[in-house]
Amino acid sequence: MRKLLLTLLLVLASTELCPAQKRLVLVDQDGSGPGGSNQMAMLALLQAPQVEVLGITMVTGNAWRDEETLHTLRMLELTGHANIPVSRGAVFPLVRTEQETRLSETLNGKVAWLGAWGQGQTMLVETPGGVTPVTPEHLQAHGPYETGPMPEGMPKLKAIDEDAAHFLIRQVRAHPHQVAIYAAGPMTNIALAISIDPEFAALTKGIVLMGGSLNPETDDPEFATSPRHEFNFWLDPEAARIVLRADWPRVDVTTVDVSIKAPFTQKMLDEIAKAPTPTAKYIAAWSQDRYYLWDELAACAWLDPSLITKEKLVYMDVDVSHGPSYGDTLTWTEKFKPATGVRLVHAQVDLDLPRFQHMFVELMTGAGANEGVR
């Protein structure tokens, strides 16, 4: 009996000394800024107390890689997360080029959102009937290695020397079967990691993607007439295809269908702005624009999968035909899927909006997992 009691005491002491292990995640993001959806999505993971962010890798998407890197480094400084390594990744998609895209627009019609190649719709206007997308008169565009003004100030932090693909591989190899990949931009870096290390995907716990579109119910002109179009898949279709066909233990996809049901509202911003924490102050200063909480929802749904109230299990791929539908989302049921190695994904299509909004505000106003580390 005495030996049993001693064993129990040792187990309890061990539990106290070794609390539950944190969930590990690698963040791959197109970190345009300051503020905005990309930065707030990273903050959702950085602020989560049960999560350890092993690093952030940057890829051209909504903006060019180098300016995204500066905005992300400065965000980490201002919010107390300066201990997180940032690695620079791909500047250009694997195949698609800006010149090819400009030429195809003359034949196939204009694209609503060009990201680094010319921006597009950047905010929503709140009305009694909902939210309305607004396109600015003057679209922003500049070269890949130019960096625009940094209203939030230049960072003192520097990116690490290791490139994104090798950083991702090294971290996954160091923590086999323990790391989730969160990819909320074009998937060029992830595709390169898979191409370098064929076991990369299988050694993770799975991947969370913000991307793809099935049949969103919306009047938003970006999707109403092109329901299978989504920017992250569209900018680098070949990379998306490589990623979707890799040997992941699980693939979760936050689609346009669910993202457009979660706008960033003035009420949410007002609640966040009341908090005195560094993260809340950063958002109050730099996240004034309205748009959908694309990447934030993908992050929060990984933190708490019960936020998603409806999903579709579909086989998903991307059109790489270089025709009018180049980059569009392709899906099939089990009965109709092609014999080409397509994979089953969990495509999210609906959510518990009040719970998500509450969770997001709580994350942005809380002290956070690493806040205060300089």
Side-chain angles (χ1 to χ4, degrees):
M1 176 65 76
R2 201 174 282 177
K3 184 180 284 188
L4 177 61
L5 287 172
L6 182 60
T7 302
L8 287 171
L9 287 171
L10 287 171
V11 169
L12 288 171
S14 171
T15 304
E16 289 294 322
L17 292 171
C18 304
Q21 186 176 358
K22 290 190 173 185
R23 298 170 68 189
L24 304 182
V25 65
L26 285 162
V27 175
D28 188 69
Q29 181 71 275
D30 51 342
S32 57
S37 183
N38 299 149
Q39 299 296 334
M40 292 196 297
M42 289 186 278
L43 281 167
L45 296 170
L46 292 165
Q47 292 286 109
Q50 74 274 34
V51 170
E52 181 179 352
V53 177
L54 296 175
I56 298 170
T57 53
M58 308 307 302
V59 64
T60 290
N62 286 341
W64 291 106
R65 180 205 66 182
D66 287 357
E67 64 179 302
E68 292 172 350
T69 302
L70 292 175
H71 286 303
T72 299
L73 291 169
R74 185 59 175 151
M75 177 274 287
L76 295 173
E77 287 180 344
L78 292 172
T79 61
H81 298 288
N83 57 322
I84 306 298
V86 176
S87 173
R88 295 183 301 172
V91 179
F92 305 104
L94 297 180
V95 176
R96 186 191 282 280
T97 66
E98 183 177 357
Q99 183 182 28
E100 175 192 22
T101 300
R102 301 289 185 197
L103 290 171
S104 71
E105 281 192 306
T106 63
L107 295 173
N108 302 318
K110 294 189 180 299
V111 178
W113 176 256
L114 290 167
W117 295 343
Q119 300 293 330
Q121 295 166 175
T122 56
M123 62 185 297
L124 299 176
V125 174
E126 290 186 59
T127 67
V131 290
T132 303
V134 174
T135 304
E137 292 183 13
H138 304 289
L139 303 182
Q140 303 173 16
H142 57 72
Y145 303 108
E146 302 170 26
T147 54
M150 293 282 294
E152 75 273 42
M154 286 292 290
K156 294 180 182 178
L157 284 177
K158 303 292 183 185
I160 63 174
D161 290 334
E162 189 175 21
D163 68 90
H166 287 90
F167 175 79
L168 290 166
I169 293 167
R170 181 168 62 83
Q171 291 294 335
V172 167
R173 287 280 179 181
H175 308 88
H177 308 293
Q178 299 178 57
V179 184
I181 306 297
Y182 165 84
M187 285 166 261
T188 320
N189 292 338
I190 311 296
L192 289 170
I194 293 166
S195 300
I196 294 168
D197 183 352
E199 295 181 327
F200 172 77
L203 286 170
T204 71
K205 290 197 74 171
I207 190 167
V208 175
L209 304 174
M210 192 284 115
S213 185
L214 305 180
N215 187 30
E217 298 177 9
T218 178
D219 293 329
D220 188 322
E222 184 173 358
F223 311 110
T225 57
S226 301
R228 289 289 172 137
H229 172 88
E230 183 277 322
F231 175 76
N232 288 341
F233 281 14
W234 173 87
L235 189 69
D236 197 338
E238 284 76 15
R241 167 168 278 201
I242 290 170
V243 171
L244 286 168
R245 293 180 176 220
D247 193 22
W248 307 100
R250 180 183 170 106
V251 181
D252 290 281
V253 183
T254 302
T255 65
V256 168
D257 305 60
V258 68
S259 298
I260 60 170
K261 298 177 182 180
F264 186 45
T265 66
Q266 184 64 47
K267 181 181 178 182
M268 295 173 71
L269 178 59
D270 291 344
E271 289 184 42
I272 293 168
K274 294 175 185 176
T277 60
T279 290
K281 290 179 179 178
Y282 173 83
I283 291 172
W286 305 114
S287 294
Q288 297 292 330
D289 286 349
R290 296 291 162 279
Y291 214 41
Y292 308 115
L293 293 167
W294 312 97
D295 301 355
E296 297 93 330
L297 178 55
C300 289
W302 177 70
L303 294 171
D304 182 1
S306 70
L307 292 175
I308 300 303
T309 59
K310 184 179 180 182
E311 65 176 29
K312 290 184 177 180
L313 289 174
V314 293
Y315 290 86
M316 184 173 285
D317 204 355
V318 184
D319 188 333
V320 293
S321 64
H322 289 254
S325 300
Y326 181 37
D328 280 5
T329 309
L330 302 173
T331 56
W332 303 268
T333 62
E334 176 75 35
K335 183 177 180 179
F336 294 104
K337 68 176 182 178
T340 56
V342 292
R343 295 286 311 282
L344 192 70
V345 309
H346 298 257
Q348 302 163 359
V349 293
D350 208 353
L351 79 159
D352 185 331
L353 181 59
R355 281 190 58 225
F356 165 60
Q357 291 175 325
H358 176 76
M359 177 182 179
F360 180 71
V361 170
E362 287 288 304
L363 286 169
M364 296 304 100
T365 55
N370 300 300
E371 205 165 83
V373 180
R374 298 284 178 182

